[in-house]
Amino acid sequence: MKLSHLVTVILFLAGCAAAQTKAQIETGAISAARSVRQKLSDPDSFRVSSVKVLPESLEASEDGKPYRYICFEGRSKNKMGGYSELMAVVTVSATLHPLPNSTWVGTLDTPIAGPVVAHSCAKPGIDMTDAVKAALKADREKD
């Protein structure tokens, strides 16, 4: 095989791997958004303005496996019927599945899950806002 053909094959395979990874990240972000929605007093009112998937943490969780955070900003109706701005964080496994008891929701004024998580959400990440907005809208239209 010529070197140019080999390079083409390698680039093609790398592109396939990157596309699969993006699809997995998108699926994980949508699953995490649904987890956040379930915690709200009016789940159908949940609207996201920002969704960010952070890189894998260099530290390991209690079970010794790597994890990452998915951070959400948005709004939803509160118990009094008005809208509140919110911030939510879901801790997911390296395979992007939400971990048990790992969804925190709070207002933008109230720190959630301690300063470490809030600090982590200030870091750059992969923007999944459009994909999550579309999925949540499709969910609302199904109901």
Side-chain angles (χ1 to χ4, degrees):
M1 182 181 274
K2 290 182 178 180
L3 182 59
S4 63
H5 293 283
L6 182 60
V7 169
T8 303
V9 169
I10 290 171
L11 290 174
F12 173 75
L13 292 174
C16 289
Q20 182 182 17
T21 301
K22 182 176 179 182
Q24 289 172 336
I25 291 171
E26 186 175 297
T27 299
I30 292 167
S31 175
R34 290 176 176 143
S35 167
V36 169
R37 184 179 58 198
Q38 292 173 352
K39 296 244 179 213
L40 302 173
S41 58
D42 184 351
D44 289 337
S45 70
F46 181 43
R47 303 293 187 272
V48 295
S49 57
S50 172
V51 180
K52 183 170 38 170
V53 179
L54 301 182
E56 233 177 64
S57 173
L58 297 178
E59 302 168 12
S61 61
E62 292 175 6
D63 63 1
K65 296 179 181 175
Y67 62 92
R68 46 170 79 190
Y69 293 124
I70 301 180
C71 302
F72 298 87
E73 287 185 17
R75 64 187 176 100
S76 72
K77 282 188 181 176
N78 57 31
K79 291 180 181 180
M80 295 173 39
Y83 276 90
S84 296
E85 297 293 318
L86 64 84
M87 180 177 184
V89 179
V90 179
T91 307
V92 295
S93 66
T95 56
L96 297 165
H97 294 5
L99 298 175
N101 303 315
S102 66
T103 301
W104 297 283
V105 179
T107 66
L108 293 180
D109 299 328
T110 308
I112 57 173
V116 173
V117 174
H119 173 71
S120 294
C121 286
K123 296 178 181 177
I126 301 167
D127 183 15
M128 286 285 128
T129 306
D130 292 338
V132 170
K133 279 183 177 182
L136 293 177
K137 182 178 180 183
D139 288 351
R140 286 190 303 273
E141 290 172 354
K142 268 197 296 189
D143 295 334

